[in-house]
Amino acid sequence: MADSLASIRNEFDRGGDIELSRLIEKYSSDKRSGVQALVHRAMRRQAYILSEREKLEKMRVFEHQYEAQGLVCGIDEAGRGPLAGPVVAGAVILPENCEILGLNDSKQLTEKKREELYDEIQYKAIAVGVGIIGPKRIDEINILQADYEAMREAIRLLAEAPAVLLNDAVTIPMTDILQVPIVHGDARSVSIAAASVIAKVTRDRMMTDLDRMYPGYGFAKNKGYGTAGHIAALKKMGPCDIHRRTFITHFV
């Protein structure tokens, strides 16, 4: 007697990505439409995994180039452009050949995917550091210097000391570690992409929390960026404590 569709579905669910090839081979000759749908879904998943593994290998070029020198750390930031809130830097050291499917520049990912990747990065990484510089400090020293300060803080908070820093197109001053600036690095290096996700998710969560403290500006939705709704609220209500005064001179 043929297995029920429910039991086959459970078999696919329990098997996960590891069992895809075996299950596709086992059930490819089953003519039932429901089983064929499961097989085709598994084949699409298998194709996705293959494609992502190929992409990840291309994104490991810089890591492979420098890994002989010691631990390689990716650095990236989130929040240079908003009118309100902090700038946040992420620093991530991944194990050699670490597999995190779907990893990419955080701006190219959905919020749901970023959240999923955030948890996976935290679980798989050798070390993760986060640097946060608030709006008052940004106004004091300007956003570029605040960016650098956040990056240095993220590096300082790593549990392991890196030998090489892969940076997204910047060179961080007052840092003795070997640095490799990479243009569009968040799409070309797995380490920088991971740091991008950490920085973006951390900052987005902070802005959602700040929305409850400073209602009316829409921070949970706009994350502090100068959307039409945010600017209208700023003109109506005036700035709050987390607005960057040097960024809003045209609006208030």
Side-chain angles (χ1 to χ4, degrees):
M1 182 183 230
D3 293 337
S4 70
L5 181 59
S7 67
I8 295 173
R9 184 181 291 110
N10 287 335
E11 193 174 354
F12 273 95
D13 291 342
R14 289 195 310 272
D17 293 343
I18 297 173
E19 295 288 312
L20 286 176
S21 293
R22 182 185 68 81
L23 293 170
I24 289 169
E25 182 178 0
K26 179 178 179 181
Y27 291 108
S28 59
S29 60
D30 191 313
K31 303 302 182 185
R32 287 175 291 176
S33 61
V35 177
Q36 284 302 301
L38 291 171
V39 169
H40 290 150
R41 186 179 69 180
M43 291 172 69
R44 289 192 298 272
R45 176 65 183 173
Q46 195 173 50
Y48 166 79
I49 292 171
L50 178 60
S51 173
E52 283 299 312
R53 283 175 174 162
E54 290 174 351
K55 185 183 80 173
L56 281 177
E57 191 53 37
K58 290 177 183 177
M59 291 175 70
R60 293 189 187 109
V61 169
F62 295 100
E63 282 76 6
H64 289 327
Q65 184 176 347
Y66 292 98
E67 63 194 9
Q69 301 190 38
L71 294 175
V72 177
C73 176
I75 307 285
D76 202 8
E77 54 76 29
R80 284 189 68 163
L83 306 180
V87 63
V88 177
V92 177
I93 301 173
L94 295 174
E96 198 172 319
N97 296 319
C98 179
E99 183 171 282
I100 301 176
L101 300 180
L103 194 56
N104 199 352
D105 168 16
S106 64
K107 296 183 291 296
Q108 304 302 316
L109 303 169
T110 65
E111 181 179 358
K112 181 176 183 291
K113 186 63 177 178
R114 284 195 298 267
E115 290 284 347
E116 292 172 357
L117 290 172
Y118 177 92
D119 291 339
E120 189 171 358
I121 292 163
Q122 292 281 7
Y123 177 73
K124 291 184 175 179
I126 292 172
V128 174
V130 175
I132 301 169
I133 302 298
K136 287 184 173 58
R137 182 63 174 164
I138 292 170
D139 287 335
E140 287 173 5
I141 62 176
N142 78 49
I143 186 59
L144 179 60
Q145 296 308 315
D147 216 2
Y148 292 149
E149 200 166 279
M151 291 178 180
R152 289 192 292 268
E153 180 71 359
I155 296 164
R156 186 184 69 81
L157 292 174
L158 289 165
E160 300 282 344
V164 181
L165 302 177
L166 303 182
N167 307 336
D168 190 19
V170 300
T171 300
I172 308 165
M174 295 183 286
T175 303
D176 296 331
I177 305 166
L178 173 64
Q179 300 184 61
V180 183
I182 303 168
V183 176
H184 302 307
D186 45 11
R188 299 173 62 198
S189 157
V190 290
S191 300
I192 299 177
S196 171
V197 170
I198 293 295
K200 174 68 173 164
V201 172
T202 299
R203 188 179 187 280
D204 284 358
R205 290 176 178 179
M206 291 181 69
M207 294 307 296
T208 298
D209 290 340
L210 288 166
D211 183 60
R212 290 188 282 270
M213 295 177 62
Y214 303 98
Y217 298 97
F219 291 144
K221 184 176 181 181
N222 61 48
K223 303 300 186 285
Y225 284 88
T227 63
H230 183 186
I231 292 171
L234 185 57
K235 290 179 177 179
K236 179 181 178 181
M237 301 164 58
C240 70
D241 289 344
I242 67 164
H243 276 104
R244 304 172 184 178
R245 295 309 196 268
T246 53
F247 280 54
I248 60 174
T249 53
H250 294 300
F251 309 118
V252 295

